[in-house]
Amino acid sequence: MNSKLSYQAFAAVARPSRCSRIFAANSQCARHFSRSAIAREEGSQAQEVVEATESEQEPTPRWKETPPAMKAPVRLRAAPGKKEYVVNSDPLLLDHFYIRFLGPEGDKMLSEETKWQAVTHKSFDQGRRGFNDRLGYLGKQIVGLQATLAQLENGPKRKPQADTFGREPFQHPALERVEILADNFRQRKLHSRHVGELAHRYGLHEVLRWLPWVPDNMALSGHNLILTHTLYAIVGAVAMEKGGLVANQVAREKILKPLGFFSKR
């Protein structure tokens, strides 16, 4: 009997209590969760370091490379059999053109991104690098307005015709040359053939970025029309970044004057 009691007492002392077992289990869980938390924290810190490193790297300019997000992972159409049409990618050649067109320091008048966008047609790279449609529309309105004002300033005065009933028309200095707007002088001078030839003399064809419909036939591809649109786009870009006064001066001095708008007729 005594031996049985002593054995039970010894077993009770040697066997861990319920509380001690719960405490040990909780300690193991705590160690596990602490290791997991440390691992997650280290992983987040490493990710932050990678993101900071990537953010410090300067992104590639859009004019220089197609944005990766705009590239399809798989080509849906077969590669065209035509030879690739090569366009300018040299910033120095582009700066030389802007100096010829805008004058000294013309290469510094616009920002780098705008200089490339102004000479990029939407046919180039499917428009993924930006294009000059809106700039061209703005520039066309500016050139058209300045052409109308040039007509009113330099057009010939017309003598009023004698009225059979002896009536005298109203006379005012601001209305002396209004009749000249009735002819198509502005439309003739601003035809894409003339403006395109002017752009060609400036060397715009050397830096124009576009994809002709028929590379072997520029006339059929509308080369003069694209050159005219691009020349207007540069005027629009100047208006956006330098203001309307500078754009008006560029339109008058670099486009309208060579086309004969300020010569006395």
Side-chain angles (χ1 to χ4, degrees):
M1 186 67 180
N2 292 334
S3 61
K4 184 181 291 187
L5 289 175
S6 61
Y7 172 76
Q8 292 177 352
F10 176 77
V13 173
R15 185 172 61 248
S17 63
R18 181 180 180 185
C19 294
S20 61
R21 290 198 302 270
I22 294 175
F23 178 76
N26 291 338
S27 300
Q28 292 179 357
C29 292
R31 287 195 297 270
H32 174 72
F33 285 121
S34 63
R35 287 195 296 268
S36 301
I38 293 173
R40 285 196 301 270
E41 184 177 358
E42 291 177 352
S44 62
Q45 291 177 354
Q47 182 67 22
E48 291 176 358
V49 171
V50 172
E51 292 177 355
T53 305
E54 292 178 352
S55 62
E56 290 176 358
Q57 297 177 355
E58 295 183 359
T60 304
R62 187 177 181 183
W63 64 265
K64 196 172 185 179
E65 181 181 339
T66 305
M70 302 186 74
K71 294 180 181 179
V74 179
R75 188 181 182 91
L76 300 180
R77 298 180 181 178
K82 300 179 181 179
K83 184 179 179 181
E84 183 180 359
Y85 185 77
V86 181
V87 297
N88 174 56
S89 59
D90 184 7
L92 189 59
L93 185 61
L94 183 68
D95 289 341
H96 288 334
F97 160 72
Y98 276 106
I99 292 174
R100 286 195 301 269
F101 180 57
L102 299 177
E105 304 295 328
D107 56 327
K108 301 177 182 178
M109 186 174 292
L110 301 174
S111 62
E112 191 71 17
E113 186 71 23
T114 305
K115 285 193 296 185
W116 285 100
Q117 184 176 354
V119 298
T120 303
H121 188 253
K122 61 183 177 182
S123 61
F124 174 71
D125 198 15
Q126 302 180 10
R128 294 181 294 182
R129 302 193 202 180
F131 48 90
N132 58 8
D133 266 16
R134 295 184 179 182
L135 294 177
Y137 176 79
L138 176 60
K140 184 177 182 179
Q141 306 311 311
I142 294 174
V143 173
L145 175 60
Q146 295 304 315
T148 301
L149 295 177
Q151 278 187 275
L152 294 175
E153 294 170 3
N154 301 277
K157 295 181 181 180
R158 295 185 179 181
K159 296 181 180 180
Q161 298 179 356
D163 188 73
T164 55
F165 298 97
R167 295 172 297 186
E168 294 183 2
F170 175 75
Q171 300 291 332
H172 191 275
L175 302 177
E176 289 180 352
R177 297 184 175 90
V178 172
E179 293 86 356
I180 199 174
L181 299 179
D183 63 13
N184 59 351
F185 174 79
R186 193 190 80 166
Q187 287 75 12
R188 293 197 311 270
K189 288 294 185 179
L190 291 181
H191 193 275
S192 60
R193 181 177 66 256
H194 302 302
V195 183
E197 291 175 356
L198 177 64
H200 199 277
R201 292 201 298 269
Y202 281 125
L204 180 56
H205 63 286
E206 298 177 355
V207 297
L208 175 64
R209 302 205 301 175
W210 71 309
L211 181 62
W213 182 44
V214 184
D216 297 332
N217 192 335
M218 290 297 179
L220 185 61
S221 300
H223 193 211
N224 282 334
L225 189 63
I226 302 299
L227 288 174
T228 301
H229 172 79
T230 305
L231 206 63
Y232 291 157
I234 296 173
V235 176
V238 173
M240 290 292 293
E241 294 201 352
K242 295 300 179 180
L245 292 178
V246 180
N248 292 341
Q249 184 179 0
V250 170
R252 284 174 166 262
E253 296 294 330
K254 304 301 181 180
I255 298 179
L256 300 181
K257 189 175 181 179
L259 292 177
F261 271 87
F262 295 99
S263 58
K264 296 295 183 180
R265 290 182 286 153

